[in-house]
């Protein structure tokens, strides 16, 4: 089965450090999403891309978070500087937009558990 | 704005029995999709079932089926013949027109008792 690959699986870092999370979407998927999951807020959309172009990053704290897709096989989410409140599980998901075929739901990666101490 | 509400934070079921998880939603869109995702302790988000709003027929996937009541904006998940491996968090999600951004409910934790 095709998979969305996220690295690292776990990350512990000190406050103030830069954190980079990576995602390899499923080959052929043209839409990539970043979600954050916390106990308090649940699953929140941070940003999403279609054909590598950012479509919506309104859920992201702009001063410290950035998301990019350098190429079709890699999406990155960076936090600089990191803060303890950023501790969460960060999910990447990929899918096909309705421009090509009726979407059937995203495929999620296994997530990166980030702990900022 | 789109919202998804799961009113049952926790549910439990005996192995081999049937359980129904509730979900209500609100949207002004006419073209939308509804999903149920399962998140076991491994934290992998797994798509269980999806329903297109334009389809009146309820979706089924093996032991999983939905009761889609469009007018009532209700989308419940029924799990038949529950198995120990069904124990997980279940999230209801609403999406606009296919692979657009999803809005998730807060989740229901399902426990399956042997």
């Amino acid at each position: 089965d095709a998979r969305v690959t996220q690295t690292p699986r776990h990350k512990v870092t000190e406050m103030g450090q830069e954190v980079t999370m990576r995602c390899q979407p499923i080959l052929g998927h043209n839409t990539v999403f970043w979600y954050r999951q916390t106990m308090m807020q649940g699953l929140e959309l941070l940003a999403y891309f279609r054909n590598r172009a950012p479509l919506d990053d309104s859920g992201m704290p702009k001063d410290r978070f950035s998301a990019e897709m350098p190429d079709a096989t890699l999406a990155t989410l960076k936090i600089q500087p990191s803060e303890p409140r950023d501790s969460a599980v960060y999910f990447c998901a990929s899918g096909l937009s309705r421009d090509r075929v009726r979407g059937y739901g995203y495929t999620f990666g296994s997530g990166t558990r980030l702990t900022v101490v | 704005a789109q919202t998804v509400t799961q009113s049952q934070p926790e549910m439990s079921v005996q192995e081999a029995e049937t359980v129904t998880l509730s979900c209500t939603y609100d949207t002004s869109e006419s073209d939308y999709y509804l999903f149920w995702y399962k998140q076991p302790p491994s934290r992998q988000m797994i798509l269980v079932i999806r329903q297109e709003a334009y389809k009146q027929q309820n979706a089924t996937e093996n032991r999983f089926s939905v009761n889609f009541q469009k007018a009532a904006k209700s989308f419940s998940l029924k799990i038949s013949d529950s198995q120990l491996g069904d124990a997980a968090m279940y999230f209801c999600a609403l999406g606009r027109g296919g692979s657009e951004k999803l809005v998730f409910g807060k989740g229901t934790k399902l426990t399956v008792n042997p």
Side-chain angles (χ1 to χ4, degrees):
Chain A
D1 289 341
R3 294 184 179 185
V4 175
T5 303
Q6 286 188 251
T7 57
R9 185 161 172 80
H10 303 277
K11 176 73 175 179
V12 179
T13 191
E14 293 185 348
M15 183 173 61
Q17 296 298 305
E18 177 178 299
V19 175
T20 299
M21 290 168 271
R22 293 176 173 82
C23 168
Q24 180 178 356
I26 290 174
L27 189 65
H29 281 184
N30 67 343
T31 310
V32 174
F33 308 83
W34 283 104
Y35 282 87
R36 177 170 62 183
Q37 185 179 32
T38 62
M39 289 295 293
M40 292 299 294
Q41 300 298 325
L43 281 151
E44 304 173 284
L45 179 69
L46 295 176
Y48 84 104
F49 297 78
R50 177 162 301 140
N51 299 321
R52 296 176 55 200
L55 290 190
D56 186 348
D57 61 0
S58 59
M60 224 163 49
K62 299 293 191 301
D63 56 339
R64 299 183 300 108
F65 284 61
S66 63
E68 296 180 345
M69 278 201 75
D71 60 62
T73 64
L74 177 64
T76 62
L77 180 66
K78 291 185 180 181
I79 307 174
Q80 169 62 25
S82 58
E83 298 181 1
R85 59 179 168 154
D86 301 329
S87 297
V89 178
Y90 291 82
F91 285 102
C92 174
S94 71
L96 282 168
S97 75
R98 65 194 300 251
D99 292 334
R100 294 191 180 186
V101 67
R102 295 296 257 179
Y104 62 91
Y106 312 145
T107 300
F108 279 77
S110 298
T112 295
R113 180 178 292 280
L114 174 65
T115 303
V116 183
V117 298
Chain B
Q2 299 186 109
T3 60
V4 176
T5 302
Q6 294 179 249
S7 59
Q8 306 152 317
E10 296 188 25
M11 293 280 287
S12 64
V13 63
Q14 291 296 125
E15 196 175 3
E17 297 294 310
T18 296
V19 65
T20 298
L21 309 184
S22 301
C23 172
T24 57
Y25 63 93
D26 191 22
T27 180
S28 58
E29 304 280 342
S30 59
D31 178 20
Y32 58 91
Y33 285 67
L34 293 157
F35 304 88
W36 280 98
Y37 278 89
K38 170 185 177 182
Q39 187 178 40
S42 66
R43 82 170 181 245
Q44 178 74 48
M45 293 286 286
I46 302 165
L47 177 64
V48 175
I49 199 166
R50 77 164 194 164
Q51 175 79 44
E52 294 92 333
Y54 65 87
K55 288 187 177 179
Q56 292 186 337
Q57 186 174 4
N58 289 326
T60 62
E61 287 288 342
N62 301 313
R63 298 182 295 106
F64 298 87
S65 62
V66 299
N67 183 6
F68 175 45
Q69 300 290 326
K70 190 171 183 178
K73 295 184 176 177
S74 170
F75 183 62
S76 60
L77 175 70
K78 185 172 81 171
I79 306 173
S80 303
D81 186 26
S82 297
Q83 300 175 0
L84 295 178
D86 296 333
M89 285 290 291
Y90 286 82
F91 292 93
C92 180
L94 167 67
R96 195 165 44 94
S99 281
E100 298 284 350
K101 52 187 177 181
L102 294 181
V103 175
F104 285 87
K106 294 294 187 185
T108 297
K109 182 179 181 181
L110 178 66
T111 300
V112 181
N113 300 310

